[in-house]
Amino acid sequence: MSTLTGTRHLVRLILRRDRFVLPLWVLLLAVLPVTYAASFFELFPTAAARAAYVTGTARNPSIVALLGPVYGDSVGALTAQRGGFLLVVVALASLLTVIRHTRTEEEAGRRELLGGTVLGRYAGLTAALLVTYAADLLLGLLTVAGLVATGLPVAGSFAYGLATALTGVAFATIGGLAAQLTETAGGARGIAIAVLGAGFGLRLVGDTATHDWPSWLSPLGWAPRVRAYEGERWWVLALPLAASVLLAAVAYPMSVRRDLGAGLLPPRLGPATAGRALAGPFGLAWRLHRGQILWWSVGFGLLGLILGGAAQAAGRSVEGNPQLEQIMARLGGASGLADAYLGATLSLAGLAAAGYGVQAALRMRSEEAGGRAEPLLATGVHRSTWLLSHVVFALLGPVVVLAVTGLAAGLTYGLSVHDVPGELPRMVGAGLAQVPAAWVLAGLAVLLYGLLPRLASVAWAALAVCVLLGQLGAVLELSQWLLDLSPFTHTPQVLRDSWSPTPLWTLTVLALALAAAGLTAFRRRDTPIP
């Protein structure tokens, strides 16, 4: 029997299980750069306008820290920089996909069942990597086709698309390696995301410092240095390829030298007796969710510092451009272009915070599917109490991370305009205004878990639809009724001089109604997941 026996069947299984999620993130991430290019063609039709934008905004340290460097003032160069943060999203989607189909399968016991059949030792890891590599390459090709269709040069489009795809390939391999190190999927995700965060930090330091050598140490720093549309450096593409080969050469031997279900890193033993904080279901839920809340807060805090620091420059960049002034005013209101920028970016932060709410809500499904919920429910713990213990953190998490984002943005923006006492509460309020919309998606996840647990992951699809409507709705001139499907469409721009709190109350009531319906459905169905 070959070490790759059964790989083809596992690939088909993965494609079957990810038939909705995989195409969704590939298409979404392929469309966004195309919309960026179309927007730049419309907003900066002349070379002079683009040069002014590069001088005033694109080279601002805060913008560079968030998006990466810009190497020219062509539409292609601006598009490549604007898509810089998408590299983080591509990397995250790639590593999570690999871990889901390797370590998560092993932790759930399904890998052991498959191992009892005719299956090669390398088949599981190979199938997960092949599917993710193919998704990344498809993403790159779709991006190339879309950018060429907008009128950008073919060579630059290929350079940008391949650089994006190979970034995903590198982090997919990092996910495959992380899956060999720890015995839990959560631990593998933590290791891989820590590497992603370190890579972003190195890229940030290198791009904003006098010497950019730290960026060359980061897989996220390689794609911008291909210099798409500005004298492409094709040899840089060899770096993610070489890194993937080296990491795979380490991951494959690890996958067969360790015991099934174990990781190479020994598990950290807990105390012999549980503390008083673990005396009830809420204490256990806090123990399960506290790490995620902490790291999400740290990440959102850093994001808020960058966004607040870039706000003043973003406001100056549109002066003298009536088209851009009109669009930015429509996004953020009439209280200033900097406020428009902050309102728009905090809306994006709200979408990301909704991702935390969905993730926290779906933790209940993983607890039940892993067989950890049933022993608890067999004791004196009531079903409602157990579910509410997780729902509390699914609702609390977005509040915390958005408050931290607003606090950090208000601090840096207040320092730039010399009005910290005035801007700090405004930005915190603007961040918290996104909470009810994020709660709606968390409530939807609770409802799906309680009613149709096998379809609970559809909540991620709902979040993706909200992202699409928010990012592409204005560009594609979609009907208002379609835009209204997203709860974030109804979030008021609180940085305006006047706004109504009615939509916030309405969204809050809707979110609570969805969660209550999910609670009722959960109390009536069988456990474990039917």
Side-chain angles (χ1 to χ4, degrees):
M1 182 178 67
S2 169
T3 56
L4 297 177
T5 299
T7 300
R8 179 171 58 88
H9 298 289
L10 289 181
V11 167
R12 292 178 58 188
L13 176 62
I14 292 173
L15 292 175
R16 168 70 179 174
R17 296 184 61 195
D18 282 6
R19 62 189 182 278
F20 298 119
V21 176
L22 201 64
L24 195 61
W25 68 259
V26 169
L27 291 175
L28 173 62
L29 295 176
V31 167
L32 287 177
V34 179
T35 64
Y36 299 152
S39 298
F40 281 124
F41 272 118
E42 179 182 357
L43 300 175
F44 302 106
T46 65
R50 293 193 296 273
Y53 173 79
V54 169
T55 302
T57 298
R59 289 179 178 155
N60 177 273
S62 296
I63 296 292
V64 172
L66 181 64
L67 303 179
V70 60
Y71 292 105
D73 57 13
S74 65
V75 171
L78 297 182
T79 301
Q81 186 202 34
R82 182 65 182 82
F85 194 75
L86 290 181
L87 296 172
V88 178
V89 183
V90 172
L92 183 63
S94 299
L95 65 88
L96 290 179
T97 299
V98 172
I99 291 173
R100 176 171 179 258
H101 292 291
T102 51
R103 175 53 64 178
T104 301
E105 292 295 287
E106 197 168 329
E107 184 180 11
R110 291 185 288 268
R111 176 67 177 83
E112 187 175 7
L113 292 175
L114 291 173
T117 64
V118 182
L119 193 68
R121 295 180 300 170
Y122 295 150
L125 179 59
T126 302
L129 290 176
L130 284 178
V131 170
T132 310
Y133 289 169
D136 287 322
L137 292 176
L138 179 60
L139 164 63
L141 292 176
L142 291 175
T143 302
V144 171
L147 293 175
V148 171
T150 63
L152 292 180
V154 175
S157 299
F158 265 101
Y160 176 79
L162 288 177
T164 301
L166 292 178
T167 299
V169 167
F171 276 93
T173 315
I174 289 173
L177 177 58
Q180 314 308 318
L181 298 177
T182 176
E183 65 180 16
T184 65
R189 286 192 292 266
I191 292 172
I193 292 175
V195 174
L196 176 61
F200 183 80
L202 285 171
R203 201 275 300 160
L204 185 153
V205 171
D207 290 346
T208 55
T210 303
H211 302 288
D212 68 345
W213 63 265
S215 297
W216 288 97
L217 301 178
S218 167
L220 293 175
W222 297 332
R225 276 149 188 81
V226 175
R227 296 197 178 189
Y229 304 103
E230 295 293 331
E232 293 79 14
R233 298 194 293 189
W234 300 98
W235 64 268
V236 179
L237 296 175
L239 295 178
L241 283 174
S244 298
V245 171
L246 291 175
L247 292 171
V250 176
Y252 272 96
M254 286 184 177
S255 68
V256 296
R257 289 177 183 173
R258 61 179 178 82
D259 292 333
L260 188 64
L264 290 181
L265 298 178
R268 187 180 63 179
L269 298 178
T273 58
R276 297 178 64 182
L278 289 175
F282 284 92
L284 176 60
W286 164 245
R287 178 64 180 83
L288 295 174
H289 290 276
R290 66 183 184 183
Q292 291 181 348
I293 292 180
L294 173 63
W295 289 112
W296 277 72
S297 298
V298 170
F300 272 64
L302 294 175
L303 179 64
L305 291 174
I306 295 172
L307 295 179
Q312 192 175 24
R316 291 195 303 264
S317 70
V318 301
E319 295 176 355
N321 191 324
Q323 291 176 302
L324 191 54
E325 287 181 0
Q326 181 181 4
I327 290 176
M328 289 296 288
R330 187 164 65 244
L331 283 173
S335 58
L337 295 172
D339 283 353
Y341 164 82
L342 287 167
T345 52
L346 286 174
S347 295
L348 294 177
L351 284 165
Y356 173 86
V358 171
Q359 180 186 38
L362 295 184
R363 180 61 185 259
M364 295 181 290
R365 187 186 188 283
S366 64
E367 290 294 299
E368 185 177 352
R372 295 180 291 274
E374 192 173 10
L376 285 175
L377 297 177
T379 65
V381 177
H382 196 272
R383 280 171 168 258
S384 300
T385 305
W386 179 79
L387 185 137
L388 286 174
S389 68
H390 289 277
V391 172
V392 164
F393 291 101
L395 299 180
L396 178 64
V399 175
V400 173
V401 297
L402 286 171
V404 170
T405 306
L407 186 67
L411 179 62
T412 51
Y413 180 58
L415 289 172
S416 67
V417 297
H418 308 290
D419 186 19
V420 173
E423 295 300 334
L424 203 60
R426 290 180 71 238
M427 294 304 119
V428 172
L432 292 177
Q434 309 298 323
V435 168
W439 278 354
V440 170
L441 291 174
L444 177 62
V446 175
L447 174 62
L448 290 171
Y449 167 70
L451 189 63
L452 300 168
R454 293 188 181 277
L455 297 179
S457 58
V458 171
W460 288 113
L463 176 59
V465 169
C466 291
V467 174
L468 281 172
L469 292 176
Q471 294 294 298
L472 305 179
V475 176
L476 300 178
E477 299 181 352
L478 299 178
S479 300
Q480 186 60 42
W481 70 266
L482 193 58
L483 298 177
D484 287 341
L485 294 177
S486 170
F488 291 92
T489 302
H490 306 282
T491 300
Q493 296 291 342
V494 300
L495 296 179
R496 292 180 176 178
D497 294 331
S498 60
W499 56 278
S500 172
T502 302
L504 298 179
W505 290 112
T506 303
L507 291 172
T508 300
V509 171
L510 176 60
L512 294 177
L514 291 171
L519 171 61
T520 302
F522 176 70
R523 292 177 61 183
R524 293 179 177 176
R525 71 169 174 83
D526 294 332
T527 53
I529 293 173

